[in-house]
Amino acid sequence: MKNLKHISLVAVLLLSVTSCFDKSEPNYQFMPNMYESEGYETYGEAAFPDGMAAQLPAEGSVARGHVPFDIDNSNEGYELAKATLMSPIDSMHVDLNRGKELYDIYCGICHGNKGDGQGNLVKREKILGIPSFDDIGRAINQGSIYHTIYYGKNAMGSYANQLKEEERWQVVSYVLKLKGDLEK
């Protein structure tokens, strides 16, 4: 009998709690301003000092994950990179397998898997004039390769958006390996 009273009391309590619940109305909100903030149109009026909702980033700020590259996209910048830019990756942390994967994805279609300038697009005559990495007139090094990947050169476009900084340096290491293999 005692158990029946306890079970009945719990059942009545549960029924009273669930009977007040209405699925068509939201529950109580702890901080309603967090859920129901005032929406602004991008170029509409807003409560900022200049009256615009779209604001410029703070001066001197750098986007997350972005490392600024201070060498210009010019012939002088190319020569400066060629003379001064060195890989920050220690030789113990160079991953030639990863460099090969990235090279095959982004570079091999034009430059060829061996770096001889005989990629699929060249063989099909879609593009012309891809020099080999071991051409004497090129004299490429770490800085010039990185600058070319970052900004592009001649008909080659930039790959700065496709490759992170560390990935670019892995590709540079792999290109130098291919160059060494061709010079043998």
Side-chain angles (χ1 to χ4, degrees):
M1 189 71 166
K2 205 173 194 183
N3 285 338
L4 186 62
K5 285 183 183 179
H6 289 288
I7 291 173
S8 300
L9 181 64
V10 169
V12 169
L13 185 63
L14 285 175
L15 277 170
S16 65
V17 168
T18 58
S19 65
C20 297
F21 182 71
D22 184 6
K23 290 184 179 181
S24 65
E25 303 222 357
N27 290 333
Y28 291 107
Q29 295 176 349
F30 180 63
M31 293 185 169
N33 292 341
M34 298 287 286
Y35 299 105
E36 299 170 11
S37 62
E38 183 178 345
Y40 294 110
E41 292 295 322
T42 304
Y43 294 105
E45 291 185 27
F48 293 108
D50 62 357
M52 297 297 288
Q55 299 292 301
L56 294 173
E59 190 172 326
S61 63
V62 177
R64 182 178 295 174
H66 176 74
V67 178
F69 187 55
D70 296 331
I71 298 177
D72 293 338
N73 183 14
S74 63
N75 288 335
E76 294 80 20
Y78 177 80
E79 293 301 325
L80 177 65
K82 192 173 186 177
T84 61
L85 195 59
M86 298 297 287
S87 175
I89 298 177
D90 183 353
S91 63
M92 298 296 290
H93 294 98
V94 170
D95 185 1
L96 290 177
N97 291 331
R98 180 73 176 136
K100 179 183 181 343
E101 288 174 10
L102 295 168
Y103 177 86
D104 289 344
I105 292 169
Y106 296 107
C107 313
I109 191 77
C110 297
H111 291 279
N113 291 337
K114 297 178 184 176
D116 56 1
Q118 295 301 310
N120 284 339
L121 292 179
V122 174
K123 289 177 185 175
R124 294 178 186 167
E125 297 180 357
K126 301 293 182 188
I127 55 174
L128 302 172
I130 303 290
S132 176
F133 291 146
D134 68 339
D135 283 352
I136 297 170
R138 293 190 71 195
I140 59 175
N141 65 11
Q142 291 181 4
S144 65
I145 298 167
Y146 188 87
H147 188 275
T148 303
I149 292 171
Y150 195 87
Y151 288 118
K153 190 166 180 78
N154 299 331
M156 178 182 154
S158 169
Y159 284 88
N161 289 333
Q162 286 87 354
L163 297 168
K164 297 176 189 166
E165 181 185 15
E166 186 268 335
E167 292 174 333
R168 284 182 232 134
W169 285 113
Q170 297 292 352
V171 171
V172 167
S173 299
Y174 186 71
V175 167
L176 290 174
K177 178 202 173 295
L178 290 177
K179 179 183 178 203
D181 292 347
L182 288 171
E183 290 174 345
K184 288 181 183 177

